[in-house]
């Protein structure tokens, strides 16, 4: 029996054993907790009273009946409390060192398990699909509680709330921050049997989207004309969106016709009106305007898109009983993971959506286009420098430079030097980044152990990397460079990474915005900075509404937990239209568009989308700082701050909080 099959059988065999003893209710009575606290204070002295009180209560909140009776609880606390400062330091350092190795190796195992699904390595077998559902980390986390390692940590180190970090974090040193971050892993006690279905649901949704391609060369107009070149195959939504944006360089009626056809394809997808037979199928022709199929059945795709989202919702909802302080997935995403309260995120987004600068910018875009805005103009690319180049020109330039994955890997040091890193630092970074051929749109997968390497995944078709793949690759490279600095360049492993995904997106946007500069097609200037301000504001406007749709769909699911896929579909379309009508219809002059629901992230990643507009806002604030100094040195400095709170990280990076003020001010000046 192979190792992979053995691991699969082990994971599946453990699940029912764990499921049999799942309980989210603490088993210690208030009297037991109070008596235990009194015993420890009597033993170690009043000077440790506050630590003892907090530690015993933290253990009690997560102690289940299976962990032992009241006597066992008290005995464990008496034996495990560490009073001496030197011994406490030793315990922390040992746990940090072990957790880096355990988490790192589990991450590498997971990467191997999902390699056939993530990379373009050939057909995906049934064995590959089964192996990808294994999540050994869930069992390890369960073991940390079963063996009482977690309880020892909870007894001796505080679990801080977001509010505590916001109020007290400014006075902490790096050691205090590292200890606080180490304890994040013990906030929730989630059994493997609950975590495993969530992993499976996310994996299934990811595969659904990764294989959702549209054969553009098989699209026809109502009168039978094909608008797109042979063999053009695009993933939804990324490929469709980027293809649409590329045609702003084409000022002929043909370019506008292509954009309108892509919009119709997107609408058919979000409404689940798309015929199932046309998805990634070169053997049929499809007229998306009239929704007619030639050469195959015309039955629409079932509500699979929304069924996958519901599967994710039901899986993560099972964690709710095990999260007393943040009892919904929404709470956990904003308070525990993003560390910005939901209402603050919404207020930040609305400050951009409702700005006068957006309205003025829309009028400028309309003037440039010479026509009224249409819904797909949320992806207007005329402020991006690539708007002056055709997609064909850009593809040719990129293909000549990067014909293979290996070519991009070999030239990585030159790319990094072009961004402003020293030759020595460019080599150091390149040695820690591996380029892989992506099956999907592309992504960055950082390392967890410092001995491992970060992985950059992007599509490289036959004939060489095209511009879309290159643009994604430069974005993902921003992620990877941040990942290397915030892991390999960090002082404490527990502080590795950045405050949340918005920050790594910000660093990726900083790279991506310089993609043409790296091809020698653009030079930095005051004009390009003004243009960048307008581009960033329009991007923030577009994705801000998408993020609000994502947030409201999740609220709706919690309010309607028994909803069917069809009901979720109708609710999502209604929410998308409501958001459109409030913040877009007054600007576009078009009502009831549901295009904001097209983003695949909503199906795959669960409330990830708010990180993009926040990332744009942060990226603009950081870009000013980077452009005014030594880009490479400043990029390294800010990313090596590690996983502080978003507010503390931003103050360290740019001297102020996250705000749209700088972006709106720059846009206002550019509009003049």
């Amino acid at each position: 029996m192979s190792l992979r099959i053995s691991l699969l059988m082990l994971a599946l065999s453990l699940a029912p054993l764990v499921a049999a003893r799942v309980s989210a209710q603490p088993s210690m009575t208030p009297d037991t907790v109070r008596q235990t606290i009194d015993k420890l204070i009597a033993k170690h002295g009043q000077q440790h009273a506050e630590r003892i009180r907090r530690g015993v209560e933290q253990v009690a909140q997560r102690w289940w009946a299976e962990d032992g009776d009241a006597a066992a609880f008290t005995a464990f606390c008496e034996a495990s409390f560490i009073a001496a400062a030197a011994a406490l330091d030793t315990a922390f350092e040992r746990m940090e060192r072990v957790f880096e190795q355990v988490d790192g190796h589990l991450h590498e195992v997971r990467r191997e398990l999902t390699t056939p699904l993530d990379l373009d390595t050939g057909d995906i077998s049934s064995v590959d699909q089964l192996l990808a559902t294994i999540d050994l980390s869930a069992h390890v986390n369960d073991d940390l509680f079963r063996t009482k390692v977690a309880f020892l940590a909870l007894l001796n180190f505080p679990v801080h709330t977001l509010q505590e970090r916001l109020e007290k974090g400014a006075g902490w040193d790096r050691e205090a921050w590292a200890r606080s971050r180490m304890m994040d892993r013990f906030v929730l006690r989630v059994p493997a049997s609950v975590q495993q279905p969530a992993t499976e649901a996310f994996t299934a949704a990811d595969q659904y989207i990764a294989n959702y391609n549209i054969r553009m060369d098989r699209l026809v107009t109502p009168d039978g004309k094909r608008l797109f070149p042979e063999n053009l195959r695009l993933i939804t939504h990324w490929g469709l969106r980027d293809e649409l944006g590329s045609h702003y360089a084409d000022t002929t009626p043909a370019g506008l016709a292509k954009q309108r056809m892509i919009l119709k394809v997107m609408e058919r997808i979000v409404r689940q009106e798309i015929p199932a037979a046309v998805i990634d199928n070169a053997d049929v022709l499809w007229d998306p305007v009239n929704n007619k199929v030639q050469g195959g059945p015309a039955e629409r795709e079932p509500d699979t898109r929304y069924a996958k989202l519901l599967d994710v919702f039901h899986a993560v909802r099972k964690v709710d009983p095990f999260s007393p302080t943040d009892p919904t997935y929404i709470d956990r995403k904003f308070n525990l993971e993003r560390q910005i309260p939901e209402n603050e995120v919404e207020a930040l987004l609305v400050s951009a959506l409702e700005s006068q600068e957006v309205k003025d910018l829309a009028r400028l875009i309309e003037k440039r286009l010479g026509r009224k805005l249409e819904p797909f103009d949320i992806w207007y690319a005329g402020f991006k420098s690539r708007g002056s180049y055709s997609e064909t020109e850009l593809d040719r330039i990129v293909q000549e430079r990067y014909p293979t994955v290996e070519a991009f890997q070999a030239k990585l040091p030159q790319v990094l030097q072009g961004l402003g890193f020293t030759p020595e630092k460019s080599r150091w970074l390149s040695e820690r980044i591996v380029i892989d051929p992506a099956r999907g749109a592309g992504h960055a997968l950082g390392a967890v152990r410092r001995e491992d390497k970060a992985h950059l995944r992007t599509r490289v078709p036959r004939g060489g990397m095209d511009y879309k793949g290159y643009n994604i690759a430069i974005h993902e490279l921003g992620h990877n460079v941040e990942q290397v600095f915030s892991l390999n360049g960090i002082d404490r492993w527990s502080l590795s990474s950045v405050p949340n995904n918005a920050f790594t997106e910000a660093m990726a946007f900083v790279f991506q915005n310089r993609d043409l500069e790296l091809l020698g097609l653009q030079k930095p200037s005051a004009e390009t900075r003004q243009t960048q301000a307008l581009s960033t504001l329009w991007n923030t406007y577009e994705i801000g509404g998408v993020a609000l749709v994502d947030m409201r769909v999740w609220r709706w699911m919690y309010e309607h937990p028994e909803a069917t896929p069809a009901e979720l579909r109708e609710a999502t379309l209604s929410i998308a239209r409501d958001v459109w009508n409030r913040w877009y219809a007054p600007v576009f002059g078009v009502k009831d568009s549901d295009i904001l629901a097209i983003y695949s992230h909503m199906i795959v990643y669960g409330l990830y989308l708010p990180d993009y507009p926040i990332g744009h806002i942060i990226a603009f604030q950081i870009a000013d700082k980077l452009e005014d100094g030594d880009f490479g040195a400043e990029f390294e400095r800010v990313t090596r701050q590690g996983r502080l709170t978003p507010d503390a990280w931003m103050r360290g990076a740019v001297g102020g909080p996250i705000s749209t003020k700088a972006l709106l001010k720059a846009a206002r000046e550019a509009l003049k």
Side-chain angles (χ1 to χ4, degrees):
M1 184 181 295
S2 73
L3 174 60
R4 290 182 178 181
I5 298 298
S6 299
L7 290 173
L8 174 63
M9 294 185 67
L10 173 62
L12 296 178
S13 65
L14 282 174
L17 295 177
V18 179
R21 53 185 177 82
V22 169
S23 168
Q25 298 300 318
S27 60
M28 291 300 102
T29 66
D31 283 345
T32 300
V33 173
R34 186 170 56 253
Q35 290 167 11
T36 303
I37 291 171
D38 291 343
K39 283 187 176 183
L40 265 66
I41 292 175
K43 179 178 179 180
H44 297 286
Q46 192 65 36
Q47 69 270 28
H48 297 292
E50 182 54 37
R51 275 190 61 222
I52 289 170
R53 186 174 295 106
R54 182 165 189 160
V56 172
E57 289 174 353
Q58 286 180 168
V59 173
Q61 288 168 354
R62 297 159 180 83
W63 188 281
W64 299 342
E66 69 194 55
D67 300 315
D69 58 15
F73 172 83
T74 301
F76 171 81
C77 291
E78 285 189 278
S80 304
F81 182 75
I82 303 171
L88 199 63
D89 292 344
T90 300
F92 167 68
E93 290 169 3
R94 172 62 175 157
M95 284 190 285
E96 184 179 49
R97 188 162 56 251
V98 168
F99 292 154
E100 176 178 3
Q101 295 303 314
V102 171
D103 291 355
H105 284 294
L106 286 171
H107 172 78
E108 291 152 40
V109 169
R110 179 72 184 156
R111 187 174 65 214
E112 174 60 28
L113 292 170
T114 60
T115 288
L117 280 64
D118 292 338
L119 303 188
D120 189 8
T121 57
D123 294 338
I124 300 173
S125 70
S126 57
V127 174
D128 295 328
Q129 292 173 332
L130 285 173
L131 289 171
T133 65
I134 296 175
D135 184 8
L136 296 179
S137 63
H139 299 284
V140 169
N141 289 335
D142 190 66
D143 271 354
L144 288 173
F145 280 95
R146 182 183 59 79
T147 59
K148 296 186 172 55
V149 171
F151 292 130
L152 186 144
L154 287 162
L155 182 63
N156 290 285
F157 301 99
V159 173
H160 291 116
T161 64
L162 174 58
Q163 192 61 35
E164 284 179 303
R165 285 174 176 154
L166 293 175
E167 292 175 356
K168 302 176 182 178
W172 292 351
D173 59 16
R174 299 287 289 178
E175 183 78 6
W177 269 109
R179 294 187 183 198
S180 179
R181 282 305 187 191
M182 181 186 75
M183 295 306 294
D184 284 351
R185 71 189 304 129
F186 301 121
V187 172
L188 305 180
R189 183 182 184 182
V190 182
S193 60
V194 174
Q195 190 62 49
Q196 183 75 20
T199 300
E200 294 172 359
F202 278 111
T203 299
D206 182 58
Q207 286 311 296
Y208 168 72
I209 291 297
N211 293 294
Y212 205 121
N213 294 282
I214 302 297
R215 291 300 303 249
M216 306 301 287
D217 55 349
R218 297 299 184 263
L219 301 184
V220 295
T221 61
D223 59 359
K225 294 179 181 177
R226 299 194 197 186
L227 303 183
F228 295 94
E230 192 70 19
N231 297 322
L232 183 59
R233 173 176 173 262
L234 300 176
I235 191 170
T236 184
H237 75 284
W238 296 275
L240 295 173
R241 175 202 60 193
D242 291 347
E243 178 71 18
L244 191 154
S246 73
H247 292 293
Y248 283 104
D250 182 356
T251 58
T252 67
L256 184 58
K258 291 175 182 177
Q259 291 175 319
R260 287 172 174 163
M261 179 173 279
I262 293 172
L263 174 66
K264 184 57 67 175
V265 170
M266 289 179 169
E267 290 172 344
R268 297 296 184 192
I269 291 171
V270 297
R271 296 170 188 168
Q272 293 275 233
E273 296 170 347
I274 183 172
V278 309
I279 300 171
D280 210 8
N281 187 357
D283 297 329
V284 299
L285 297 178
W286 178 35
D287 165 13
V289 174
N290 295 311
N291 210 20
K292 292 183 178 179
V293 181
Q294 300 176 34
E299 287 80 12
R300 75 176 184 91
E301 181 191 21
D303 292 319
T304 312
R305 180 181 181 88
Y306 300 98
K308 295 296 183 186
L309 177 54
L310 276 178
D311 288 345
V312 169
F313 166 69
H314 290 306
V316 299
R317 189 166 165 251
K318 291 177 181 177
V319 177
D320 293 354
F322 302 91
S323 181
T325 57
D326 294 283
T328 71
Y329 180 76
I330 301 170
D331 296 327
R332 295 189 291 277
K333 286 294 288 187
F334 284 94
N335 297 338
L336 296 183
E337 185 175 318
R338 192 169 282 118
Q339 293 199 76
I340 309 174
E342 184 185 10
N343 63 327
E344 291 186 17
V345 170
E346 182 156 345
L348 185 69
L349 303 184
V350 169
S351 71
L353 295 178
E354 293 186 345
S355 68
Q356 182 60 44
E357 288 78 7
V358 160
K359 299 179 179 68
D360 294 341
L361 181 54
R363 301 288 73 81
L364 176 59
I365 294 171
E366 199 167 62
K367 183 178 179 181
R368 287 188 170 196
L369 291 173
R371 59 170 172 80
K372 294 291 185 182
L373 294 180
E374 300 185 37
F376 60 79
D377 289 319
I378 59 172
W379 294 300
Y380 175 71
F383 290 117
K384 299 177 181 178
S385 299
R386 74 176 184 183
S388 60
Y389 297 91
S390 72
E391 194 79 358
T392 303
E393 287 178 283
L394 293 172
D395 284 346
R396 178 185 56 78
I397 293 167
V398 172
Q399 285 165 357
E400 288 177 358
R401 188 170 297 199
Y402 305 117
T404 63
V405 168
E406 292 76 16
F408 190 72
Q409 178 84 64
K411 293 183 179 179
L412 204 52
Q414 293 96 303
V415 173
L416 292 166
Q417 286 184 59
L419 286 162
F421 295 98
T422 65
E424 296 75 19
K425 191 65 69 174
S426 296
R427 286 193 296 272
W428 183 82
L429 288 165
S430 299
E431 289 167 358
R432 289 161 176 80
I433 299 172
V434 177
I435 314 297
D436 295 324
R439 186 181 293 277
H443 63 274
L445 187 66
V448 174
R449 288 189 313 134
R450 281 168 281 197
E451 298 88 346
D452 192 20
K453 296 183 179 182
H455 286 249
L456 188 160
R457 278 84 184 268
T458 191
R459 279 192 170 186
V460 183
R462 290 188 182 90
M465 183 184 287
D466 58 20
Y467 175 72
K468 291 186 184 71
Y470 165 76
N471 181 260
I472 290 172
I474 297 301
H475 178 94
E476 304 306 337
L477 181 60
H479 286 305
N480 286 142
V481 173
E482 172 272 302
Q483 290 161 350
V484 173
F485 279 137
S486 65
L487 174 65
N488 300 84
I490 207 76
D491 53 342
R492 300 302 309 228
W493 178 79
S494 294
L495 284 175
S496 59
S497 191
V498 287
N500 60 43
N501 286 323
F503 285 80
T504 190
E505 289 300 342
M507 308 318 286
F509 288 139
V510 168
F511 272 47
Q512 188 174 15
N513 290 335
R514 298 177 62 183
D515 65 338
L516 292 188
E517 179 187 333
L518 293 171
L519 292 175
L521 303 178
Q522 169 187 294
K523 291 184 178 180
S525 67
E527 183 180 352
T528 59
R529 292 180 73 171
Q530 290 175 342
T531 300
Q532 189 58 52
L534 299 180
S535 177
T536 301
L537 179 57
W538 196 249
N539 290 340
T540 304
Y541 176 54
E542 170 254 323
I543 199 68
V546 172
L548 288 177
V549 171
D550 194 15
M551 292 161 67
R552 293 178 183 196
V553 166
W554 272 89
R555 291 178 204 160
W556 187 91
M557 288 192 292
Y558 266 98
E559 292 164 1
H560 303 84
E562 304 304 321
T564 65
E567 290 169 338
L568 177 57
R569 178 194 71 220
E570 291 306 307
T572 301
L573 296 176
S574 176
I575 289 167
R577 291 165 188 157
D578 287 346
V579 171
W580 179 273
N581 288 341
R582 179 169 179 181
W583 286 293
Y584 296 83
V587 174
F588 281 72
V590 178
K591 295 189 71 175
D592 294 329
S593 174
D594 41 37
I595 195 62
L596 297 174
I598 188 58
Y599 270 65
S600 299
H601 302 72
M602 192 166 70
I603 309 304
V604 180
Y605 301 126
L607 284 176
Y608 187 97
L609 282 163
D611 289 327
Y612 283 107
I614 300 171
H616 280 306
I617 294 164
I618 295 170
F620 192 83
Q621 291 178 270
I622 292 171
D624 271 355
K625 185 76 173 177
L626 297 179
E627 288 169 2
D628 291 338
D630 182 329
F631 180 93
E634 276 297 292
F635 192 98
E636 180 175 3
R637 180 187 70 82
V638 299
T639 51
R640 286 180 64 176
Q641 292 184 101
R643 202 156 51 97
L644 310 176
T645 59
D647 184 71
W649 195 99
M650 281 300 289
R651 292 183 187 279
V654 301
I658 304 171
S659 171
T660 57
K661 290 180 181 178
L663 174 58
L664 296 178
K665 179 177 181 290
R668 201 158 51 243
E669 292 172 354
L671 283 164
K672 292 177 183 178

